[in-house]
Amino acid sequence: MVAVTLAPARPRSNVAPNEPTPLRPAEAPASTETAPASPTRTAPTAEVRDASRTVAAGAESATRSRLAAVESGIPRTLRRGSRGEDVRALQEDMVRLGYMSRDEMNTGPGTFGFRTHEAVVDFQRAHGLRPDGQVGPRTRAALQQATHRGERINEPPPAPQGEPLRPAPSENPPAAATPPSSQRPNPQGRIGQVYRDNAARADNARMDGRYQREVDQVMRNLTPEKRRQIDEIARRANLPPSLVAGIWYREASLRDGVYLHNGDPLGRPTTHVPRGISFRRDQFVEAAVHALNQKRHVADQLGLNYNSRDPAAMATYAEFYNGLGYRNHGRVSPYAFAGTDQYRGGMYVRDGVYSANTWDRRPGVLAIATAYERAFGG
């Protein structure tokens, strides 16, 4: 399955209020003697007058607030349903930065729709911001910096300044050190082929410094409560906590209230692949265990359990969890290996749409799992 963005709520329809319909007098009975009397207008009651004044005052207050914000130079927060030239400018920025195509823009004054929301969420994730799809002060500042630098998502990041994925032998080895070949699993078939490829990559992988800032931010976001949730999920699914942390980050940026299957919101059936999964909003842990157990056969062949520390096995499980589409394009999976020097570009920008020239700017499961092991020991 593909890391996808969180499905947002649909915007309300912008239907203009109906024009008031004039009252029509009742038709007079046919008569040649007298003309029908004019209808008598009833004076509005005090309650109606008060209600009208309240509505008018509220509208006037909202208008004054908007005008004051404009006059003070404070840009409004843009979100689903927003319209205007500032939305159009935002879409132009998203095109320049590579998060959406010009064909996906609206004509005329911009309308902040589903595609613009997706582009903003992708930008926020790539820059360590909360992926809520709203353009407030922090997102706007990051956009200004990105456009000023001439950043472009479909170009590789600046030159790496990273360190080895695993410390040199003279340093304290992390708990996720690759086991000796005599202790490695020997899965068969397709799983065995992927595992052997990933074992060679994991043995030679070095941390790519271009992703270090995001990795550090992820570790800071792993509060004690989130680590408790990770441990509970890991125990119930019998998988390494560091692997669970990596998948939670890739699927949902460590947010609660979502399916670990694909990042869709809990409380209603999933709409992204896999579709039709249904759990209540208060069943995050149960839904996560269900998602991870869908690849239980892969975990069993790889010998993965709660105490496992084999990074190649974790990368292989992550690749099967996300899908083998990258192999069909002859590319290393960013879901597993982004953040290391083994990943050299290529990305599914949405379900079923692959871009060879796009770089995944979020670290993959192996980079997050290794950092988790170093920071929290398991």
Side-chain angles (χ1 to χ4, degrees):
M1 68 193 71
V2 175
V4 297
T5 58
L6 181 66
R10 297 190 179 276
R12 302 173 188 160
S13 60
N14 294 305
V15 180
N18 295 326
E19 293 293 332
T21 304
L23 298 174
R24 296 181 180 178
E27 292 184 3
S31 173
T32 58
E33 297 180 3
T34 59
S38 299
T40 303
R41 294 184 179 272
T42 304
T45 64
E47 292 181 356
V48 171
R49 287 195 301 271
D50 291 344
S52 299
R53 291 194 193 99
T54 301
V55 172
E60 184 180 353
S61 175
T63 301
R64 282 200 305 268
S65 298
R66 287 193 295 270
L67 290 174
V70 172
E71 291 172 359
S72 65
I74 302 174
R76 61 173 175 151
T77 296
L78 302 179
R79 53 175 62 87
R80 286 289 296 272
S82 297
R83 296 173 181 269
E85 292 301 329
D86 47 356
V87 175
R88 179 74 172 183
L90 166 66
Q91 292 171 334
E92 291 282 359
D93 286 342
M94 291 291 104
V95 171
R96 278 194 293 272
L97 295 170
Y99 289 90
M100 63 190 298
S101 69
R102 190 162 295 279
D103 291 340
E104 294 171 314
M105 290 180 59
N106 305 114
T107 58
T111 299
F112 199 125
F114 176 73
R115 185 64 193 93
T116 305
H117 178 96
E118 280 191 326
V120 171
V121 168
D122 289 343
F123 174 85
Q124 290 170 325
R125 284 176 170 163
H127 291 80
L129 300 167
R130 180 185 176 190
D132 59 5
Q134 300 184 26
V135 182
R138 295 184 63 185
T139 298
R140 186 172 285 107
L143 274 169
Q144 291 172 350
Q145 293 176 5
T147 53
H148 179 72
R149 291 194 303 264
E151 187 177 296
R152 180 79 181 173
I153 193 174
N154 63 357
E155 296 174 355
Q161 301 175 2
E163 59 183 20
L165 190 65
R166 293 182 296 278
S170 59
E171 303 178 29
N172 294 325
T178 305
S181 58
S182 60
Q183 298 179 13
R184 288 179 175 175
N186 187 29
Q188 302 302 308
R190 185 64 162 160
I191 297 176
Q193 178 186 350
V194 174
Y195 175 75
R196 286 185 287 275
D197 288 348
N198 287 340
R201 294 189 180 105
D203 286 349
N204 297 303
R206 296 174 63 87
M207 184 67 194
D208 188 331
R210 295 172 287 194
Y211 294 81
Q212 191 63 57
R213 180 179 177 183
E214 173 68 4
V215 171
D216 292 343
Q217 183 61 51
V218 172
M219 294 305 107
R220 287 193 291 270
N221 291 342
L222 285 167
T223 62
E225 173 58 22
K226 288 189 183 297
R227 297 202 303 273
R228 184 199 65 75
Q229 288 177 295
I230 287 170
D231 193 73
E232 181 179 358
I233 294 167
R235 289 183 183 278
R236 292 174 61 172
N238 197 24
L239 290 171
S242 57
L243 173 60
V244 173
I247 291 175
W248 188 6
Y249 165 75
R250 288 293 305 194
E251 294 294 337
S253 298
L254 300 178
R255 287 176 291 112
D256 294 317
V258 297
Y259 289 94
L260 224 58
H261 304 74
N262 52 25
D264 283 354
L266 288 169
R268 56 188 184 220
T270 57
T271 57
H272 291 87
V273 179
R275 298 180 179 90
I277 307 296
S278 183
F279 282 86
R280 299 193 311 270
R281 293 185 65 182
D282 62 347
Q283 290 184 304
F284 171 70
V285 170
E286 291 80 2
V289 173
H290 179 272
L292 295 167
N293 280 339
Q294 289 191 319
K295 299 299 180 185
R296 186 69 252 170
H297 66 289
V298 178
D300 289 342
Q301 286 204 45
L302 294 169
L304 280 172
N305 56 56
Y306 178 83
N307 295 309
S308 296
R309 297 295 182 268
D310 181 357
M314 287 190 270
T316 301
Y317 178 93
E319 189 171 348
F320 274 92
Y321 188 91
N322 179 244
L324 302 181
Y326 289 102
R327 286 181 175 266
N328 298 333
H329 292 280
R331 294 296 185 98
V332 173
S333 167
Y335 192 92
F337 283 98
T340 79
D341 61 356
Q342 301 300 301
Y343 171 62
R344 297 180 177 88
M347 178 181 173
Y348 278 92
V349 293
R350 53 184 177 275
D351 283 352
V353 180
Y354 175 77
S355 171
N357 296 321
T358 301
W359 279 70
D360 192 331
R361 292 175 177 267
R362 294 188 299 149
V365 169
L366 184 59
I368 296 297
T370 300
Y372 189 96
E373 296 279 357
R374 288 175 173 171
F376 308 114

